[in-house]
Amino acid sequence: MKTIRVRITAEELEAKRIAEILERAFEDDGNPVTIYEASPDGRIWSAEILLFDMEPDEASATVRDRVGADAFAAPLEAEELPDINWVEKSLEGLKPVRAGRFIVHGGHDRDKVVPGAIGLEIEAALAFGTGHHGTTAGCLEEIDRLLSLREYDGILDLGTGTGVLAIAAALKGRQSVLATDIDPIATKTALENARLNGASHLVKGFTANGMEDRRFSLYGPFDLVIANILARPLMKMSKSIGEHMTATATLVLSGLRVEDGPRILFAYRCQGFVLDRRREKDGWLTLTLVRGRKLA
Ligand SMILES: C[S@@+](CC[C@H](N)C(=O)[O-])C[C@H]1O[C@@H](n2cnc3c(N)ncnc32)[C@H](O)[C@@H]1O
């Protein structure tokens, strides 16, 4: 069967919007739409759709017809793909992955959660966070370690994506976690995933840009914040994050390239944090910082 991939490349939020439009336009056909990070800094994303049994030109025209020619300005790229089993391929991307005591898996792999492990069933939809990325895995390992050491009074997952980290912390610590994201689709996905994991009584969430929102004061101050966002927004947010945290808080930061480490440490040192632990995975850095004390 001839498979044509139509791909549209854009900025992250624009690519998500395009993927949504595509998904709605083709939902009755059951065509998969995927969204993925294309550049190492995570700024350029693509939305793509697979169409079958047509030529590339026809596939581009079909996409334009269904979504309306001016729905998006970004150019379309259509190419024929080698003969691959796409169902198998897409399931591969969601293969169960282990990080600390957590096993992140899709709905079809519940039986892969071995005794002693904590299963996190994640439906990625249009949000980031299946556990395969070095940043998510680094945060999961830290959540496992930190919540084995003690309880935290007030936990926030800032930039929750699929909610994978919030759900992990809620299930591991058996306590409430606030999950927020700038993207309403991510917030919705996170709350749906919390329900899927029997954690909706523990995970609450709302949509907000950074921590400039009065609702954070209702839930905070936070004793543990996990923020897997990129270095630049984390630098900009250092003051507001610090203001909403307790005097002896722990902060896990990820989404950082190894070279971002020193300037992030400097920015958060100004908020009273010192380095407790660093983890590197596939060139991505996860830093755990503490305020007012050193962990054992
Ligand atoms: C790399 S993903 C992390 C997702 C998930 N927490 C994980 O670890 O896999 C970063 C998330 O942060 C969100 N984000 C980006 N800028 C943000 C901001 N200023 N405030 C809140 N969330 C933001 C994005 O929408 C995205 O869902």
Side-chain angles (χ1 to χ4, degrees):
M1 180 165 58
K2 198 181 264 244
T3 306
I4 309 297
R5 175 172 59 199
V6 181
R7 175 186 278 173
I8 301 127
T9 306
E11 291 279 312
E12 181 178 351
L13 291 180
E14 178 64 0
K16 283 189 181 182
R17 188 183 76 83
I18 292 170
E20 263 191 294
I21 296 173
L22 283 174
E23 201 159 62
R24 273 199 304 273
F26 287 90
E27 67 190 348
D28 294 340
D29 301 22
N31 279 316
V33 172
T34 53
I35 184 161
Y36 66 99
E37 201 180 68
S39 68
D41 67 2
R43 292 192 162 269
I44 303 299
W45 291 57
S46 305
E48 64 180 40
I49 188 157
L50 303 180
L51 299 179
F52 304 101
D53 287 335
M54 54 177 87
E55 297 300 322
D57 285 356
E58 201 185 339
S60 298
T62 305
V63 168
R64 288 200 186 281
D65 277 359
R66 295 261 193 114
V67 301
D70 5 294
F72 41 83
L76 301 183
E77 239 180 83
E79 62 167 331
E80 183 176 347
L81 297 177
D83 206 11
I84 294 172
N85 182 339
W86 285 99
V87 174
E88 218 169 74
K89 195 87 192 141
S90 66
L91 289 178
E92 247 172 45
L94 290 175
K95 275 205 171 128
V97 59
R98 184 158 194 145
R101 275 189 57 207
F102 301 109
I103 294 183
V104 189
H105 63 90
H108 47 278
D109 273 327
R110 287 186 193 123
D111 58 335
K112 304 288 186 326
V113 181
V114 293
I118 301 174
L120 303 172
E121 185 172 330
I122 294 299
E123 194 60 64
L126 291 176
F128 181 106
T130 57
H132 289 82
H133 199 269
T135 60
T136 313
C139 290
L140 284 171
E141 286 173 6
E142 274 306 274
I143 290 170
D144 184 28
R145 182 181 76 88
L146 292 167
L147 286 160
S148 301
L149 294 175
R150 68 173 178 95
E151 282 183 7
Y152 290 85
D153 186 15
I155 303 180
L156 168 67
D157 173 17
L158 184 62
T160 194
T162 57
V164 58
L165 305 180
I167 298 165
L171 294 183
K172 171 89 191 188
R174 301 202 178 285
Q175 61 183 110
S176 300
V177 178
L178 179 66
T180 65
D181 202 288
I182 193 172
D183 177 2
I185 298 173
T187 317
K188 183 166 169 272
T189 306
L191 296 177
E192 275 167 13
N193 280 325
R195 187 181 47 76
L196 207 59
N197 286 275
S200 36
H201 60 301
L202 296 174
V203 179
K204 304 291 165 214
F206 56 80
T207 301
N209 181 354
M211 296 199 70
E212 305 291 340
D213 190 302
R214 276 187 302 180
R215 284 172 291 178
F216 283 107
S217 311
L218 300 176
Y219 289 90
F222 301 96
D223 203 17
L224 173 62
V225 172
I226 308 130
N228 177 10
I229 310 183
L230 294 168
R232 205 188 297 173
L234 285 174
M235 294 281 295
K236 268 170 98 178
M237 289 180 211
S238 60
K239 188 160 181 286
S240 55
I241 290 178
E243 276 169 6
H244 284 284
M245 297 187 70
T246 63
T248 55
T250 302
L251 176 59
V252 178
L253 298 176
S254 196
L256 313 170
R257 304 302 301 187
V258 171
E259 57 274 19
D260 297 325
R263 61 197 175 108
I264 284 282
L265 282 177
F266 178 77
Y268 283 86
R269 200 172 296 135
C270 298
Q271 302 303 319
F273 287 95
V274 293
L275 181 65
D276 174 58
R277 186 166 295 224
R278 71 195 297 285
R279 288 177 190 271
E280 259 184 64
K281 260 183 203 298
D282 309 327
W284 292 96
L285 184 64
T286 300
L287 296 175
T288 299
L289 313 178
V290 291
R291 205 184 219 177
R293 89 218 117 94
K294 267 286 210 186
L295 289 180

